């Protein structure tokens, strides 16, 4: 898989195995995969799905090594559907023993993936168990995203150890040309230059499209509402973000700068670049979101970066997003945000 191939990936995140029954989001986002979603993605001209996973669905916080293999059959279904409708599927670990960017579970992780050897061994065990199921799937059909969005306080060398451990484990029994996706540091924002300098083969580097957060996550939760009280605007350069104890602006110039950085990484190191997630919550004004999204997509295309929207159906998606500021179109049994869908199809 080269830069050109990955740059043409266009698709969606599907959340059928992201939230366990103990997650606060379990009933909000559903708990299974629907073959119709894969069919619809293909029929609309897209070619990629990313499957974020929580180990809590088949595992246990009490025993980090426990795996109920029967519950992995849902993932088998997703792999089968992707193959049936000619979609590349990327299996992404979103919650691992000892780490998750989300705080949706009632019981927090007891281990620390970045510091505890037990957590890393358990993570390798979980990922290896999954990868053993799909060794016969060709590389152009399936890839692995090691861990979703390491937080700002995860150091590069700590992240490298985790990535290297899992990749080496899977390569010990999988096909030689399997590709692995590595998220950037700082929640996916910053390229992981230590891994880039290692010049490892078959690595895809993954960025994010959630800046400015006071637009993309406007109204998502009460904490954000306290921080982001003003209605977001775009493309004027007057969006205020709060971070590091100071306010700063984020507009067209900053967006172009950040995406260009990833584009230059792809060009200089001759590696594929993918935006594994981007999108905006339903309470951000629709016209503002569309202007921001088009600028993002323009810069992805210019920099040869593939992308996957978060998500297909739901509060960030094009189907059944329950916005109050648009008129939906009925299609395929869904309420469709036609303007957003047309924009995605355009790029």
């Amino acid at each position: 898989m080269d830069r050109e191939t990955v740059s043409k990936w266009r698709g969606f995140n599907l959340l059928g195995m992201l939230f366990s029954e103990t997650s606060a989001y379990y009933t909000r986002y559903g708990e299974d995969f629907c073959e119709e979603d894969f069919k619809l993605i293909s029929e609309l001209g897209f070619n990629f799905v990313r499957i974020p996973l929580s180990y809590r669905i088949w595992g246990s916080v009490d025993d980090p090594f426990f795996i109920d293999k029967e519950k992995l059959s849902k993932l088998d279904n997703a792999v089968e559907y992707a193959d049936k409708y000619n979609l590349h599927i990327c299996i992404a670990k979103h919650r691992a023993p000892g780490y998750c960017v989300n705080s949706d579970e009632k019981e927090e992780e007891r281990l620390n993936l970045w510091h505890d050897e037990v957590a890393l061994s358990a993570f390798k065990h979980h990922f290896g168990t999954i990868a053993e199921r799909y060794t016969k799937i060709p590389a152009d059909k399936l890839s692995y995203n090691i861990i979703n969005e390491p937080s700002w306080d995860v150091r590069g060398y700590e992240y490298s150890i985790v990535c290297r451990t899992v990749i080496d484990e899977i390569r010990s029994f999988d096909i030689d040309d399997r590709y692995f996706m590595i998220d950037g540091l700082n929640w996916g924002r910053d390229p992981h230059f230590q891994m880039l300098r290692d010049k490892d083969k078959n690595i895809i580097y993954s960025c994010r499209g959630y800046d400015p957060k006071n637009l993309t996550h406007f109204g998502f939760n009460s904490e954000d509402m306290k921080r982001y009280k003003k209605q977001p605007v775009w493309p004027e350069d007057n969006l205020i973000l709060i971070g590091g104890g100071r306010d700063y602006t984020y507009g067209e110039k900053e967006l172009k700068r950040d995406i260009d950085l990833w584009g230059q990484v792809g060009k200089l190191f001759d590696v594929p670049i993918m935006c594994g997630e981007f999108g905006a919550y339903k309470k951000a004004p629709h016209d503002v979101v569309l202007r921001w999204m088009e600028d993002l997509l323009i810069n992805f295309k210019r920099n040869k970066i593939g992308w996957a929207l978060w998500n297909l159906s739901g509060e960030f998606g094009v189907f059944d997003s329950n916005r109050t500021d648009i008129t939906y179109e009925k299609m395929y049994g869904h309420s469709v945000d036609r303007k957003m869908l047309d924009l995605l199809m355009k790029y």
Side-chain angles (χ1 to χ4, degrees):
M1 221 127 24
D2 54 19
R3 286 183 65 212
E4 289 295 331
T5 299
V6 174
S7 74
K8 292 179 174 61
W9 281 351
R10 305 282 187 272
F12 301 88
N13 284 263
L14 298 177
L15 312 187
M17 290 183 70
L18 180 54
F19 301 113
S20 75
E21 293 183 4
T22 57
S23 166
Y25 295 148
Y26 179 70
T27 57
R28 185 171 171 181
Y29 290 103
E31 71 282 1
D32 210 344
F33 297 109
C34 174
E35 181 177 354
E36 189 65 26
D37 287 345
F38 293 79
K39 180 181 179 183
L40 182 56
I41 289 169
S42 179
E43 287 182 352
L44 290 171
F46 300 98
N47 58 9
F48 178 91
V49 289
R50 181 174 179 263
I51 310 295
L53 304 176
S54 168
Y55 83 96
R56 298 277 185 102
I57 290 174
W58 64 83
S60 169
V61 69
D62 297 317
D63 179 359
F65 290 91
F66 173 77
I67 294 177
D68 183 345
K69 291 187 178 181
E70 289 187 5
K71 292 184 177 179
L72 291 174
S73 61
K74 291 197 296 185
L75 184 58
D76 296 341
N77 291 337
V79 173
E80 179 184 342
Y81 299 152
D83 180 61
K84 182 176 181 179
Y85 296 106
N86 200 29
L87 304 171
H88 182 93
I89 186 170
C90 180
I91 296 173
K93 275 301 189 74
H94 202 96
R95 179 177 289 277
Y99 181 74
C100 185
V101 70
N102 295 341
S103 55
D104 57 293
E105 288 285 355
K106 296 177 182 178
E107 187 171 355
E108 295 182 0
E109 296 297 323
R110 299 175 186 175
L111 300 171
N112 186 311
L113 177 62
W114 317 108
H115 300 149
D116 297 337
E117 290 186 12
V118 172
L120 181 55
S121 295
F123 184 43
K124 181 176 73 170
H125 171 60
H126 280 264
F127 223 140
T129 299
I130 288 173
E132 284 178 344
R133 302 171 81 91
Y134 309 124
T135 55
K136 294 182 180 180
I137 307 294
D140 64 340
K141 293 283 188 180
L142 182 145
S143 59
Y144 295 113
N145 190 174
I146 301 300
I147 186 69
N148 182 73
E149 297 177 14
S151 57
W152 65 271
D153 56 344
V154 176
R155 298 181 179 182
Y157 75 89
E158 295 170 335
Y159 187 32
S160 293
I161 291 171
V162 170
C163 292
R164 184 82 276 140
T165 298
V166 172
I167 291 172
D168 288 348
E169 169 68 11
I170 295 174
R171 282 181 175 163
S172 69
F173 58 79
D174 202 0
I175 56 177
D176 290 337
D177 56 350
R178 181 74 67 207
Y179 266 76
F180 298 90
M181 196 174 292
I182 305 295
D183 283 6
L185 293 161
N186 188 24
W187 293 292
R189 287 185 172 96
D190 302 331
H192 187 8
F193 285 104
Q194 183 171 339
M195 288 290 290
L196 283 159
R197 286 193 296 269
D198 288 345
K199 296 183 178 180
D200 195 356
K201 67 175 184 177
N202 295 1
I203 303 293
I204 300 166
Y205 292 86
S206 183
C207 61
R208 289 295 179 267
Y210 289 132
D211 285 322
K213 191 178 179 184
N214 58 319
L215 188 163
T216 63
H217 286 68
F218 181 78
F220 186 69
N221 57 42
S222 57
E223 180 182 344
D224 282 345
M225 285 302 291
K226 292 177 183 178
R227 298 174 66 196
Y228 310 135
K229 294 180 180 179
K230 294 181 180 179
Q231 284 274 342
V233 293
W234 193 268
E236 294 87 349
D237 295 340
N238 58 359
L239 292 168
I240 305 300
L241 288 170
I242 303 172
R246 64 187 179 90
D247 295 349
Y248 58 100
T249 61
Y250 194 102
E252 285 181 295
K253 180 178 67 176
E254 287 78 16
L255 185 149
K256 181 179 182 298
R257 174 202 65 197
D258 290 348
I259 304 304
D260 280 357
L261 170 62
W262 284 91
Q264 287 301 310
V265 165
K267 184 177 180 180
L268 292 173
F269 289 90
D270 192 25
V271 293
I273 306 293
M274 178 74 182
C275 179
E277 296 180 20
F278 76 101
Y281 186 59
K282 66 179 182 179
K283 290 189 178 180
H286 192 247
D287 60 330
V288 172
V289 169
L290 293 183
R291 288 196 295 270
W292 163 82
M293 187 174 287
E294 182 153 29
D295 280 345
L296 194 65
L297 292 169
I298 287 170
N299 281 286
F300 285 159
K301 185 174 183 178
R302 186 170 54 82
N303 283 286
K304 298 183 180 298
I305 296 174
W307 49 260
L309 183 73
W310 186 279
N311 47 347
L312 178 66
S313 299
E315 297 161 334
F316 284 74
V318 292
F319 299 140
D320 308 318
S321 55
N322 294 318
R323 285 184 167 274
T324 60
D325 58 350
I326 66 171
T327 300
Y328 285 95
E329 180 179 318
K330 292 295 182 180
M331 183 191 347
Y332 303 104
H334 294 277
S335 296
V336 180
D337 182 342
R338 169 53 75 177
K339 289 185 177 180
M340 185 178 291
L341 179 59
D342 285 347
L343 179 60
L344 294 171
M345 294 173 71
K346 178 180 176 182
Y347 290 95

